[in-house]
Amino acid sequence: MIKPVLRAVIFDLDGVLTDTAHYHYLAWKRLADSLGIAFDEAANEHLKGIDRMGSLNLILGERAKQYSDAEKLALADDKNRHYQQLIAGITPADLLPGALDALHSVQAAGLKIGLASVSKNAKAVVERLGIMALFDDIVDAATIAKGKPDPEIFLAAAAHMQVVPTECLGVEDAIAGVRAIKAAGMTVLGIGDPAVLREADRVIAGLHQFDLVDYLY
Ligand code: BG6
Ligand code: MG
């Protein structure tokens, strides 16, 4: 089978370009502790890539039924306020090792660069990281109906950049995100632990190990 050429790379943000995945964890952990709900890094793994209310429902589990929609919104707002305090000090120095080089290598190769994040804080984080100008397209929670693992967000990024999905590489640290990229018909590069991201086509520990040549067919 002849593989299509690579025309675009679509990056997730939290946990791929910067370590905000850890800040999401800290903010959820404080909320879970205040509610007396057990929550640890392993439980957090299943929240990665999941939108705010979806994450809250997963943390509440069986107890979700005990809260009204308004109460749940207040809990989610509380988490978000804490999260926003944690990300307030982000600067370009918070780009993960290799992230800027990876973006520059994609740009230098003449490929499109997309961002697909279900975070409503994504644009603020990208702005603080100083990398806004590198993206041809940014899709965040504001314009999509379904979050990851639905492929919508990755398909939207590809469509905006006028690239067919099979010509895209998606880069993700979350199980839900890996599934979304797969479902979109794109090649998946997982960032993290191969035992966790088993469904990815390839897994590297971080973008410091990214070499575009590995994906140019
Ligand atoms: C994703 C994170 O990028 O954004 C999730 O992986 C987070 O952990 C989600 O819940 C939504 O973020 P926000 O900033 O809209 O609460
Ligand atoms: Mg992520």
Side-chain angles (χ1 to χ4, degrees), residues 24-39:
H24 279 294
Y25 168 68
L26 291 178
W28 284 128
K29 174 74 179 150
R30 190 177 83 170
L31 184 79
D33 285 352
S34 75
L35 298 173
I37 295 173
F39 184 65

Side-chain angles (χ1 to χ4, degrees), residues 115-178:
L115 187 95
S117 171
V118 298
S119 171
K120 292 185 172 139
N121 295 293
K123 282 196 177 135
V125 171
V126 168
E127 196 73 67
R128 287 189 191 127
L129 290 170
I131 53 173
M132 190 66 103
L134 287 169
F135 293 97
D136 295 288
D137 187 59
I138 292 182
V139 189
D140 63 16
T143 53
I144 51 153
K146 294 181 228 128
K148 302 167 187 177
D150 191 279
E152 181 184 1
I153 192 163
F154 286 96
L155 291 174
H160 296 163
M161 297 189 293
Q162 297 181 303
V163 179
V164 295
T166 50
E167 295 174 345
C168 296
L169 174 71
V171 189
E172 260 291 348
D173 68 318
I175 300 165
V178 166

